[in-house]
Amino acid sequence: MRIDIPELALVALVGISGSGKSTFARRHFRPSQVLSSDAFRAMVADDENDQSASADAFDVLHYVAGKRLRAGRLTVVDATNLQSHARAGLVAVAREHDVLPVAVVLDVPEPLCWERTEARADRPFGRQVLHRMHRDLRRSLSGLAREGFRKVHVLRGPAEIDATEIHYERLFNDRKELTGPFDIVGDVHGCRAELEALLERLGWTVHRDATGRPVNATHPLGRTAIFVGDLVDRGPDSPGVLRLVMGMVAAGTALCVPGNHEQKLVRKLRGRKVTVSHGLAETLAQLATEPPEFVAGVETFIDGLVSHYVLDGGRLVVAHAGLKEAYQGRASGRVRAFALYGETTGETDEYGLPVRYPWARDYRGSATVVYGHTPTPTPEWVNNTICIDTGCVFGGSLTALRYPERDLVSVPAAKEYYPPARPLVVPAPERPADVLDLADVTGRRHVEHRYGRLTVPAENAAAALEVMSRFAVDPHRLVWLPPTMAPCSTATVDGFLEHPADAFADYRAAGVDRVVCEEKHMGSRAVLLVCRDSADARFGAGGGVAYTRTGRPVFAEPLGSALVDRVRSAIDRAGLWTELNTDWLLLDCELLPWSAKATGLIREQYAPVAAAGGAALPAALAALSAAADRGLPVAELRDRMTRRADDLARYAVAYRAYVRPTDGLTGVTLAPFAVLASAGAAHTGRDHGWHLALADRLREADPEFITRTDRRVVDLADSGAVTDATEWWLALTAAGGEGMVVKPYAGLAATDGNGRLVQPGIKCRGRDYLRIIYGPEYDRPDQLAALRGRSLGRKRGLALREHGLGLAALDGLTEGAPLWRRHELVFAILACESEPVDPRL
């Protein structure tokens, strides 16, 4: 005998003592899925037969069942479950978590149950107790469905129980196996002509019957359409829309979820009492001209629609009015109501319409939710959700979202078919451009921008808030924080961990054919926002600021302002204000020397290694030499210690190359390498030749303070240029230089052949410099072999995410976006810095 159980359900085993419930549970379910009332009594009272502990035991059982169901796990309750009040508690837990309650009844003759019970020493009760249980079971059988159990399976006798096989059913809304690609269409409302136009614009071919009516559509690339509901009412041809969509669903080229207008229509078609309003009268009049079999087909079609779909492995959810995370993939009246109508506050607006709760603002789920229901002039991503009802029937447009591309495609309405009760464009409450709201950046959030999207975990947001609130500069000034750069792929050249050959190979693989190799300065990253007028307060007081890649001021005042003033003078002498037609500039730079900002780090982390080794190794070598003179076999150990001393000496030379005394700005230099933005223009599309040429002019304007960045431009198809750049790198690193950064010559926003951002820069560091990072002896063959297994994927992903956010923030700055929009992006960059990535990379 086969019984069907939903994959996500609360299963109540019902039966008297001795009926074999525990044996049945062990046979058909995993131990972790089964919650036994006996086990919970033992848990709270150390005695599974202590009936006085039953109330507490079931309290704990219900709590654990709720936790499992919330996590989407099948849960089986092994108890007698013979009283209606006991079953009511289980049904309540199932409903609370929007899963289906299922009853599996083991109906075994009482004499056999007594025989089994007598054989168990742990069941010390008389036959009268079993008789009472059997009587309760007989009374329960007819009422289980009325109590709320959606499925009731009664297994009669041992033979039927032993022959039972359990088959797990997926919920109707579970279509995770469908991965698309999808074209998700917003509320059509009877606008058949616009629907045809939209499908054709999306590349679909519309098929017609002998009378020319559209009855199906197919896509040459096998795409699937998904309709978010509200196919009917208000528009000129609801039957035509239904005929087309029904044909597509029947042919397997489309899916459809119901809207509230379909729900109301089907109730009317079944003779229920409904208020004929909001366009229903027009639909009924149009259906009156159709054959009865078509109308009957419409009723059947709507009745078979599922409240929502979970698709693409759980990454996409489609529901008419949207769906919060807790309801996705669940089945209950509450879930269906939310999917159809959304959630209201109980208030009405000035137009007499219900005020809907903005659930999308609180959404933190990982699945993309696409919905309609509430017309909006322009679709906008909010926390990985998007409403694509753009009010076609009200004179707006009909919109589709292409998934996974996330492209929006629209066609305008031919006219206003139905006057909206509320204007399609409702002025949003004015939010001051420079007012920040804590709710914008706290908790788990989804951030969408033109270069991509990402999820910010709540714990990362909390870490960013700590930095922003305690250490960072004024948010008005914080407009760019990258770069985080990944190293090149692990070197294939013997004796090297990083080598130019692999950096060039990385960019070739990304489709980049021309790069610039820039000398990598060993210092501290500094972003300078410099206003032409030192009294300019647009970005906060002082006419500018210099901050680090974690948002902190480079120097405390007044030294910070002195740094900005020095750069302002250089910009003025170089003539860049006039040439770029701007009164402010944003520069990406490196502040030198390293010791100017990292003195504490050097003293606490790097210098002690050299000092300790310098003190210990000479004494050890002296002792080993004395032992060797006495004929002891210590030559191998002495050689190893000699190599360690040599490595340590190279380590000390490496870090000391970046240490020199400074006093205020005396001894400090600045190496600019990118002009990120100026008034009205982000310069991310300009090639690096342009950026470095302007940096050279700043160097000419103040050669004592501005340091030049040496570089080589390399055509990756030119073996001679590649060889020259490699030899330049070898000479640079042999002379004590850190190495180089290889960048796509095209600029900061360079993309591959598919329009995706490529790595903005790949660092390639020298052998001796890497001693500072990985330790004095890192290039020993055994250690180098272990380091070759380092994983770069997380670092590269982090670099791309932060770079995309930074580019979007620059665009927002120069396009006049409000501060809170830019701040969301910069805040997300700081949150990314909390990702657990090997700091040595």
Side-chain angles (χ1 to χ4, degrees):
M1 180 177 179
R2 168 175 147 167
I3 63 175
D4 296 325
I5 293 177
E7 288 182 342
L8 176 57
L10 187 147
V11 180
L13 301 182
V14 182
I16 70 175
S17 180
S19 59
K21 298 183 300 301
S22 298
T23 301
F24 183 88
R26 284 193 297 270
R27 180 183 303 161
H28 295 288
F29 304 103
R30 296 195 301 270
S32 59
Q33 295 175 320
V34 180
L35 307 182
S36 166
S37 60
D38 289 344
F40 279 93
R41 267 190 291 269
M43 188 182 301
V44 301
D46 293 328
D47 182 357
E48 65 180 35
N49 291 310
D50 185 354
Q51 298 301 312
S52 67
S54 290
D56 289 339
F58 276 97
D59 276 346
V60 180
L61 186 151
H62 289 169
Y63 177 80
V64 175
K67 290 296 185 182
R68 287 185 57 83
L69 296 175
R70 181 179 300 170
R73 305 187 187 283
L74 177 76
T75 301
V76 181
V77 178
D78 175 12
T80 57
N81 293 318
L82 296 171
Q83 287 78 38
S84 60
H85 66 84
R87 296 190 296 268
L90 297 179
V91 171
V93 171
R95 286 177 173 170
E96 181 184 352
H97 295 91
D98 302 288
V99 302
L100 300 178
V102 175
V104 177
V105 182
L106 277 60
D107 187 6
V108 177
E110 181 187 336
L112 177 58
C113 292
W114 177 243
E115 180 182 330
R116 293 173 175 174
T117 302
E118 277 192 309
R120 294 181 58 180
D122 60 344
R123 289 293 183 266
F125 53 78
R127 180 72 179 265
Q128 72 279 6
V129 174
L130 204 66
H131 180 71
R132 185 170 62 250
M133 287 182 178
H134 193 261
R135 184 185 62 217
D136 290 340
L137 176 65
R138 305 254 63 83
R139 290 174 177 173
S140 299
L141 287 177
S142 61
L144 292 172
R146 291 194 302 272
E147 291 176 6
F149 287 96
R150 295 291 293 273
K151 286 179 176 286
V152 178
H153 301 287
V154 181
L155 308 179
R156 303 187 187 279
E160 194 168 288
I161 293 172
D162 291 342
T164 295
E165 294 182 358
I166 290 180
H167 177 260
Y168 290 103
E169 298 177 317
R170 290 193 310 175
L171 295 177
F172 292 136
N173 56 44
D174 182 359
R175 300 304 305 272
K176 296 186 184 74
E177 80 282 3
L178 300 180
T179 58
F182 301 113
D183 292 329
I184 309 171
V185 180
D187 302 37
V188 182
H189 280 300
C191 300
R192 178 188 54 78
E194 287 81 356
L195 175 57
E196 289 187 53
L198 178 61
L199 289 173
E200 290 171 356
R201 185 169 178 185
L202 289 165
W204 289 73
T205 299
V206 177
H207 305 284
R208 304 178 185 277
D209 63 13
T211 64
R213 299 178 301 187
V215 293
N216 191 14
T218 56
H219 197 283
L221 300 179
R223 299 182 74 89
T224 299
I226 306 178
F227 295 92
V228 302
D230 277 4
L231 305 173
V232 302
D233 293 351
R234 297 176 174 146
D237 192 3
S238 290
V241 172
L242 286 166
R243 184 176 290 107
L244 175 54
V245 174
M246 289 164 59
M248 294 175 68
V249 172
T253 62
L255 298 171
C256 183
V257 297
N260 56 299
H261 284 261
E262 281 80 47
Q263 183 72 7
K264 190 174 183 181
L265 173 61
V266 77
R267 292 174 61 208
K268 180 64 177 177
L269 293 177
R270 291 175 171 174
R272 304 281 183 86
K273 185 178 180 180
V274 300
T275 302
V276 179
S277 60
H278 302 299
L280 179 57
E282 287 80 356
T283 299
L284 294 173
Q286 294 161 13
L287 286 174
T289 65
E290 297 288 337
E293 57 270 20
F294 176 78
V295 179
V298 167
E299 180 183 339
T300 302
F301 171 73
I302 295 174
D303 184 57
L305 296 178
V306 181
S307 67
H308 70 284
Y309 281 116
V310 180
L311 304 146
D312 192 21
R315 288 179 284 271
L316 173 65
V317 172
V318 179
H320 175 62
L323 205 63
K324 54 188 180 182
E325 185 178 19
Y327 291 170
Q328 294 168 10
R330 305 299 173 112
S332 70
R334 179 169 62 173
V335 170
R336 186 174 180 84
F338 193 103
L340 285 170
Y341 307 105
E343 190 173 18
T344 61
T345 65
E347 304 169 301
T348 56
D349 61 18
E350 64 269 32
Y351 304 101
L353 298 176
V355 176
R356 305 197 181 280
Y357 184 80
W359 64 273
R361 293 183 187 174
D362 300 327
Y363 182 72
R364 298 295 183 266
S366 58
T368 298
V369 181
V370 184
Y371 63 103
H373 190 51
T374 305
T376 180
T378 305
E380 183 177 354
W381 287 99
V382 178
N383 290 329
N384 208 23
T385 77
I386 189 168
C387 175
I388 57 172
D389 178 7
T390 47
C392 182
V393 76
F394 301 128
S397 61
L398 185 62
T399 296
L401 174 74
R402 302 178 76 240
Y403 177 95
E405 301 88 345
R406 298 170 83 94
D407 296 331
L408 292 165
V409 179
S410 299
V411 296
K415 65 176 185 178
E416 181 187 282
Y417 297 102
Y418 197 92
R422 175 172 51 205
L424 188 57
V425 180
V426 178
E430 194 68 28
R431 176 177 177 178
D434 60 347
V435 171
L436 302 179
D437 187 340
L438 186 64
D440 291 340
V441 295
T442 53
R444 189 171 189 265
R445 298 176 299 108
H446 298 279
V447 179
E448 294 274 343
H449 56 88
R450 67 183 58 175
Y451 301 97
R453 61 187 183 277
L454 78 158
T455 299
V456 178
E459 58 272 22
N460 291 20
L465 184 62
E466 174 80 1
V467 172
M468 184 69 75
S469 59
R470 295 186 61 190
F471 307 112
V473 301
D474 185 335
H476 289 82
R477 304 172 164 199
L478 207 57
V479 293
W480 168 265
L481 290 172
T484 286
M485 286 186 298
C488 61
S489 295
T490 301
T492 54
V493 179
D494 188 44
F496 288 87
L497 185 62
E498 296 175 11
H499 191 275
D502 301 281
F504 297 148
D506 287 339
Y507 275 123
R508 287 194 195 97
V512 175
D513 55 12
R514 195 179 190 208
V515 298
V516 58
C517 303
E518 297 180 6
E519 173 189 2
K520 191 173 192 310
H521 301 287
M522 179 53 172
S524 304
R525 182 55 54 96
V527 178
L528 269 77
L529 179 62
V530 185
C531 295
R532 185 172 190 174
D533 184 351
S534 60
D536 194 326
R538 280 176 299 173
F539 300 102
V545 67
Y547 56 88
T548 70
R549 58 182 303 276
T550 58
R552 294 167 169 83
V554 169
F555 291 128
E557 294 299 337
L559 191 58
S561 292
L563 173 63
V564 173
D565 291 341
R566 185 80 179 256
V567 176
R568 179 185 297 112
S569 298
I571 295 171
D572 191 54
R573 289 194 294 273
L576 299 187
W577 302 122
T578 302
E579 181 174 328
L580 298 177
N581 191 27
T582 185
D583 56 1
W584 61 267
L585 281 179
L586 185 68
L587 304 175
D588 212 355
C589 313
E590 192 82 2
L591 187 79
L592 307 171
W594 183 36
S595 55
K597 288 290 295 174
T599 300
L601 182 67
I602 294 167
R603 286 177 175 170
E604 295 172 11
Q605 182 169 328
Y606 297 102
V609 174
L617 287 175
L621 283 170
L624 289 169
S625 295
D629 291 343
R630 293 197 302 272
L632 295 176
V634 295
E636 182 179 347
L637 179 58
R638 184 177 60 181
D639 291 344
R640 188 163 71 250
M641 289 298 160
T642 301
R643 289 195 301 269
R644 294 189 68 182
D646 292 342
D647 288 337
L648 188 70
R650 283 192 286 268
Y651 167 85
V653 170
Y655 88 79
R656 287 169 182 164
Y658 311 114
V659 177
R660 63 175 184 258
T662 60
D663 181 11
L665 290 185
T666 302
V668 172
T669 61
L670 191 72
F673 45 82
V675 180
L676 297 168
S678 58
H683 300 300
T684 54
R686 296 183 182 269
D687 63 52
H688 282 288
W690 180 87
H691 288 281
L692 292 168
L694 294 189
D696 287 346
R697 288 170 57 184
L698 291 175
R699 156 77 175 179
E700 293 169 3
D702 190 347
E704 291 184 1
F705 182 64
I706 306 295
T707 295
R708 183 178 185 272
T709 297
D710 201 3
R711 81 292 306 245
R712 297 291 186 275
V713 177
V714 181
D715 182 344
L716 294 179
D718 183 345
S719 60
V722 168
T723 299
D724 289 344
T726 302
E727 291 177 352
W728 170 71
W729 177 84
L730 289 169
L732 180 69
T733 55
E738 178 183 349
M740 68 181 179
V741 178
V742 186
K743 302 177 181 178
Y745 186 79
L748 291 164
T751 58
D752 62 13
N754 296 314
R756 295 171 300 198
L757 289 174
V758 298
Q759 290 291 332
I762 295 175
K763 54 190 177 184
C764 182
R765 297 166 291 185
R767 294 179 66 183
D768 283 331
Y769 172 80
L770 286 172
R771 295 184 195 283
I772 305 174
I773 306 301
Y774 288 106
E777 300 174 74
Y778 88 97
D779 59 349
R780 295 295 178 203
D782 57 334
Q783 293 194 34
L784 199 57
L787 288 173
R788 290 187 188 281
R790 61 184 184 165
S791 176
L792 303 178
R794 185 183 289 270
K795 181 75 170 185
R796 289 175 172 175
L798 182 66
L800 278 177
R801 289 196 299 274
E802 292 190 12
H803 188 63
L805 288 164
L807 293 177
L810 289 178
D811 291 341
L813 172 68
T814 56
E815 293 169 3
L819 173 64
W820 54 274
R821 286 283 191 196
R822 307 192 321 257
H823 183 65
E824 178 188 43
L825 299 166
V826 173
F827 194 93
I829 297 170
L830 286 174
C832 286
E833 285 296 302
S834 299
E835 285 292 306
V837 176
D838 185 347
R840 300 173 300 175
L841 294 177

